[in-house]
Amino acid sequence: MLSAWKVCCAGVPQRLVFAVMGFLAVVNAYIMRVCLSIALTQMVKPINGTNGTSLDNTCSAFPEDRIVEEKQSGTYEWTEGQQGTILSAFYWGYIITHLPGGLLAERFGGKYSLGLGILSTAVTTLLTPIAVEFGGATALIILRFLMGLGEGTTYPALNSMLAQWTPPEERSKLGSLVFAGALLGTVFGTSISGVILQDSSIGWAAVFYLFGFVGVLWFIAWTILCYNNPDEHPFISERELKYLHDRMSAHTHKKPPLVPWRHMFSSIPFWALVAAQIGHDWGFFTMVTDLPTYMNNVMKFSIKNNGYLSSLPYLCMWISSLISSWLADKMITSGFMSRTNVRKLGTTIASIGPGAFLVGASYAECDRTIVVVMFTIGMTLMGTFYPGMKVNGLDLSPNYSGSLMAVVNGMGALTGIITPYIVRAFTPNGLMTEWRLVFWVVFGVFVVTNIIFVLYASGEVQYWNDPEFIRRDKEERRRKHDIEKQEKAEKISL
């Protein structure tokens, strides 16, 4: 069997196979994460304002859409607060497993840290309809928390494996390909969910059954095709193995010392990366979680159109990420721009552009065409985030990229807890003017965090990535400790 695989796959670059499977991992992770945002609009009965406020500051539905919406009035009477808790519960668990996932991936490899995490997310997705039927909102909150626990290992494990599989000159392309799976996952999760919700005979439950089953299939393929590093791979070609060793041996080591937390947390480029991640996640999670709600409650699109139009910006963002990542590698390898400046340029475009167009869309009011165009342009510009700051962790420390990603992405994921509450606090009546304030906050966060990144970011390998430096530093601290201990003993003896 193994020899047959080797003959079949000898001519296929296994780093590309890993990148495609990693991409599909993120696609599945995001599909299972975001499908609830669309499904929730059909699971819950519409709330017609609070405190007697009339919803006259929203748009009118198309006549044909009103007929559809009357058929899909929802089942559960969950308050805005309960819905915010349901949507944020995922991130409670998501944050918890980031650091353990990164440490396990660096110590034992990311294959099963990632694979088992996606598998557990698929299982909880399959269980969602049953949990809601018997336990209501409480059961769904618990299940979303468990789903977050499983998915929290995704990015740290992938970053750890990318450090083993991607040479520096291909880092923007392959890293962006993998991480941009979040965009296609959002596209498929929203658009396909919209079709299923309108056409399925069993209703919203079909969304979770379909996507959970696909997640299980991915796990089986991942287990067969992918390995922790090139040395473990049974059918990688000798040529590719030598190429990866030659290109990556300087900064990527098999068994580096323990993570130098003290040096990492005192690194200014590290904190610049944290700031950029928080800014991006604030805007991205607001869009992923709440754009379907805006399209449904304010713009009054039907559920099928909601799915299509909510997914369109992410499709364009995905295309943008692929094109800009190719350009980024070209600019770096040709010497046209330094790696540091490429990261800063990509991050700036991905921050200021989306923030400005989100605010602009809120002033277009009920002109649906302009709103959709502005959302789409804004999210297209956000695609440069991937060759910008998303791969910057691999630049700073290939050896500790899993732990670095765990901390950076974990801090960014805090916004996934905060933003649903902020959105629902600012939009108690679902009015357009209330949503405008939400988009202004997103723009402000983008600007502040991008300024920090532009001032302090770096695209160069940091000194604390070097195992020899860490060993020397450890020896020096041990020597100082022994000297201090000896001096203390001498003073006592005197």
Side-chain angles (χ1 to χ4, degrees):
M1 178 69 176
L2 186 59
S3 59
W5 273 109
K6 192 159 188 173
V7 171
C8 173
C9 303
V12 180
Q14 293 306 308
R15 64 187 184 280
L16 181 59
V17 173
F18 157 72
V20 171
M21 290 302 298
F23 161 78
L24 293 175
V26 181
V27 168
N28 276 284
Y30 268 78
I31 283 177
M32 293 184 286
R33 181 191 305 192
V34 308
C35 64
L36 179 65
S37 297
I38 287 283
L40 204 61
T41 63
Q42 302 307 297
M43 295 166 67
V44 180
K45 290 183 178 180
I47 298 175
N48 295 317
T50 57
N51 303 322
T53 304
S54 172
L55 295 186
D56 57 357
N57 192 218
T58 61
C59 305
S60 300
F62 295 115
E64 62 270 23
D65 292 343
R66 290 194 188 101
I67 298 173
V68 173
E69 298 302 327
E70 288 171 4
K71 295 178 182 178
Q72 299 172 324
S73 57
T75 304
Y76 302 99
E77 296 182 351
W78 295 337
T79 65
E80 292 286 343
Q82 285 177 303
Q83 293 177 55
T85 302
I86 289 167
L87 290 172
S88 65
F90 171 90
Y91 296 97
W92 305 346
Y94 186 66
I95 291 170
I96 291 172
T97 51
H98 260 66
L99 189 54
L103 293 172
L104 287 171
E106 286 173 354
R107 186 171 180 82
F108 303 107
K111 176 175 180 175
Y112 287 105
S113 178
L114 171 65
L116 293 174
I118 298 292
L119 178 63
S120 67
T121 305
V123 171
T124 50
T125 300
L126 287 168
L127 292 174
T128 297
I130 300 171
V132 172
E133 182 178 354
F134 290 101
T138 302
L140 184 54
I141 290 169
I142 294 171
L143 205 62
R144 291 288 290 182
F145 171 77
L146 295 174
M147 185 182 295
L149 286 177
E151 203 167 303
T153 64
T154 303
Y155 278 116
L158 276 173
N159 223 40
S160 179
M161 294 182 73
L162 278 166
Q164 299 292 330
W165 281 99
T166 56
E169 61 269 23
E170 298 178 9
R171 191 167 291 156
S172 294
K173 291 193 292 288
L174 295 183
S176 296
L177 171 63
V178 171
F179 293 135
L183 307 177
L184 278 197
T186 305
V187 169
F188 293 139
T190 52
S191 60
I192 297 176
S193 293
V195 174
I196 293 173
L197 288 167
Q198 183 155 313
D199 298 337
S200 173
S201 60
I202 65 173
W204 57 264
V207 170
F208 300 97
Y209 291 142
L210 172 63
F211 294 146
F213 177 70
V214 172
V216 173
L217 290 181
W218 171 88
F219 172 75
I220 295 171
W222 170 261
T223 303
I224 296 170
L225 295 175
C226 294
Y227 296 83
N228 291 317
N229 55 64
D231 289 327
E232 292 184 12
H233 207 295
F235 38 90
I236 188 172
S237 68
E238 292 296 328
R239 180 180 178 183
E240 184 178 15
L241 184 62
K242 183 178 184 303
Y243 169 73
L244 293 175
H245 278 175
D246 291 345
R247 296 300 304 127
M248 300 166 63
S249 58
H251 298 298
T252 304
H253 303 83
K254 289 184 181 178
K255 292 186 178 180
L258 295 177
V259 182
W261 296 114
R262 183 168 62 91
H263 293 288
M264 182 184 293
F265 288 134
S266 62
S267 171
I268 293 177
F270 165 79
W271 287 108
L273 180 57
V274 169
Q277 185 72 53
I278 289 173
H280 169 79
D281 284 359
W282 190 289
F284 188 71
F285 289 157
T286 297
M287 293 295 287
V288 167
T289 305
D290 296 298
L291 182 59
T293 302
Y294 183 81
M295 292 296 204
N296 185 73
N297 294 350
V298 177
M299 301 307 297
K300 301 299 183 184
F301 283 109
S302 70
I303 184 58
K304 181 180 282 188
N305 285 333
N306 189 351
Y308 287 141
L309 296 174
S310 294
S311 66
L312 178 62
Y314 305 104
L315 179 61
C316 294
M317 184 178 170
W318 175 68
I319 295 171
S320 167
S321 71
L322 297 182
I323 296 173
S324 60
S325 64
W326 178 79
L327 289 173
D329 276 341
K330 283 289 185 184
M331 287 190 290
I332 293 170
T333 55
S334 67
F336 178 77
M337 189 177 287
S338 69
R339 182 176 282 105
T340 296
N341 287 335
V342 166
R343 303 304 183 222
K344 290 180 179 181
L345 176 63
T347 304
T348 299
I349 294 171
S351 299
I352 305 304
F357 277 96
L358 290 183
V359 171
S362 70
Y363 284 93
E365 298 188 345
C366 291
D367 190 325
R368 290 179 171 89
T369 300
I370 293 180
V371 168
V372 171
V373 168
M374 295 194 90
F375 276 143
T376 302
I377 294 174
M379 297 304 287
T380 299
L381 293 173
M382 194 184 280
T384 62
F385 151 81
Y386 288 92
M389 57 78 53
K390 193 62 178 178
V391 297
N392 189 223
L394 292 167
D395 297 328
L396 299 181
S397 179
N399 280 330
Y400 304 107
S401 56
S403 295
L404 191 151
M405 174 63 85
V407 177
V408 172
N409 215 56
M411 290 185 180
L414 286 170
T415 63
I417 295 175
I418 297 170
T419 52
Y421 288 111
I422 289 179
V423 169
R424 276 148 186 81
F426 285 5
T427 61
N429 306 299
L431 306 182
M432 188 176 296
T433 51
E434 295 171 342
W435 277 94
R436 188 172 294 153
L437 180 58
V438 171
F439 295 138
W440 269 113
V441 171
V442 170
F443 180 67
V445 173
F446 267 139
V447 170
V448 172
T449 55
N450 184 68
I451 289 173
I452 295 172
F453 188 79
V454 169
L455 290 176
Y456 301 111
S458 173
E460 303 305 318
V461 176
Q462 298 298 291
Y463 65 89
W464 41 269
N465 179 74
D466 183 5
E468 288 303 316
F469 168 82
I470 297 170
R471 293 187 183 100
R472 288 195 305 270
D473 181 67
K474 187 176 180 180
E475 287 297 326
E476 186 177 341
R477 285 190 290 116
R478 182 181 296 153
R479 190 164 48 251
K480 286 182 179 180
H481 175 73
D482 291 341
I483 292 172
E484 290 172 359
K485 187 176 179 181
Q486 184 178 354
E487 290 175 347
K488 189 175 181 180
E490 288 175 354
K491 287 180 181 180
I492 293 173
S493 65
L494 293 174

